[in-house]
Amino acid sequence: MLTMKDIIREGNPTLRAVCDEVPVPLTAEDIQLGKDMLEFLHNSQDPEMAEKYELRGGVGLAAPQLDIKKRIIALLVPSNNPEKPEPILETVMYNPKIVSHSVQDACLADGEGCLSVDREVPGYVVRHARVTVAYTDMNGETQKIRLKNYPAIVVQHEIDHLNGVMFYDHINAKNPFSLDKDVLVLE
Ligand code: 4LI
Ligand code: NI
């Protein structure tokens, strides 16, 4: 089981590396790594497991955060509707690639956090409002998915990790809370 001990922190050069493509067909090892990453996110969102193992809550995780330079991300975006408890997005992506995106930009009103960053970095992280992502799934099949709002922000944050980019690289250093008009602010 993965815990916070497995997650590397800011300053580790792996977080600034460009990760390698994962060969397809996937190896059993790469499939298992994806499963372990998704399990970590489930545990991190489970109040009992999170307390027991001192896990910080997360909705996304990238392999380089485990010091593994492979293009693998896991996403688990929970529902905010108690009537519909199924996650909005639960997936592992191998070699994810943004194949198109909106002209409109968006950001989270409360800024972003990262399991590899043990400090608060205030400011708007401006990203694409909508993205279409092509990737290989756990079954080795090619998929294409269109995401908007929070899931779109999360997938961009995680794909950034595969390219050595941190969320605060996108924050306006001079004025962290300045926004162009027509940037969608997600509450
Ligand atoms: C516990 C159990 C307020 C502050 C609101 C926690 C279950 C921030 C938001 C969670 C903020 C869950 C999150 C991300 C932000 C802030 C990630 C709590 C886990 C909210 C996810 C990758 C950025 C993703 C919305 C500085 C570890 N996650 N909050 N950003 N949640 N979570 N990011 N922003 N302000 N980071 O952090 O997984 S994209 Cl679900
Ligand atoms: Ni991160």
Side-chain angles (χ1 to χ4, degrees):
M1 180 190 134
L2 295 173
T3 67
M4 297 307 293
K5 281 192 171 55
D6 297 295
I7 296 182
I8 62 168
R9 308 304 156 92
E10 261 182 310
N12 187 312
T14 298
L15 290 173
R16 289 306 192 177
V18 175
C19 297
D20 298 325
E21 292 262 331
V22 178
V24 180
L26 301 170
T27 64
E29 188 190 10
D30 287 337
I31 293 168
Q32 189 57 48
L33 175 57
K35 287 182 180 168
D36 290 346
M37 290 167 64
L38 198 53
E39 181 199 53
F40 172 88
L41 294 176
H42 275 285
N43 291 339
S44 84
Q45 293 178 20
D46 178 313
E48 275 99 54
M49 291 298 280
E51 174 168 70
K52 183 164 180 203
Y53 295 104
E54 299 185 321
L55 307 178
R56 229 182 103 185
V59 290
L61 184 66
Q65 295 182 273
L66 304 170
D67 210 2
I68 299 169
K69 289 180 197 157
K70 293 182 177 182
R71 303 188 78 81
I72 307 174
I73 62 175
L75 308 166
L76 181 63
V77 180
S79 165
N80 48 16
N81 179 354
E83 309 275 296
K84 279 191 186 172
E86 310 81 39
I88 295 171
L89 183 65
E90 174 175 11
T91 194
V92 176
M93 297 181 176
Y94 298 87
N95 306 322
K97 188 176 171 358
I98 296 170
V99 292
S100 68
H101 64 78
S102 57
V103 172
Q104 189 174 40
D105 288 338
C107 65
L108 299 182
D110 295 304
E112 294 189 13
C114 177
L115 297 173
S116 296
V117 179
D118 293 326
R119 60 192 174 108
E120 273 212 23
V121 186
Y124 291 133
V125 180
V126 177
R127 301 185 181 280
H128 306 305
R130 298 172 290 283
V131 291
T132 301
V133 180
Y135 64 97
T136 298
D137 70 14
M138 272 198 186
N139 302 314
E141 289 171 38
T142 303
Q143 303 286 351
K144 208 190 268 189
I145 189 175
R146 186 166 173 275
L147 299 171
K148 60 180 180 178
N149 300 329
Y150 192 38
I153 299 289
V154 177
V155 77
Q156 289 172 82
H157 176 118
E158 302 311 328
I159 291 174
D160 269 351
H161 277 304
L162 307 181
N163 296 318
V165 175
M166 300 295 286
F167 72 90
Y168 46 78
D169 298 343
H170 298 285
I171 297 176
N172 184 321
K174 273 212 169 136
N175 199 341
F177 290 102
S178 75
L179 273 187
D180 288 349
K181 62 169 174 9
D182 59 83
V183 176
L184 196 58
V185 181
L186 302 169
E187 298 294 340

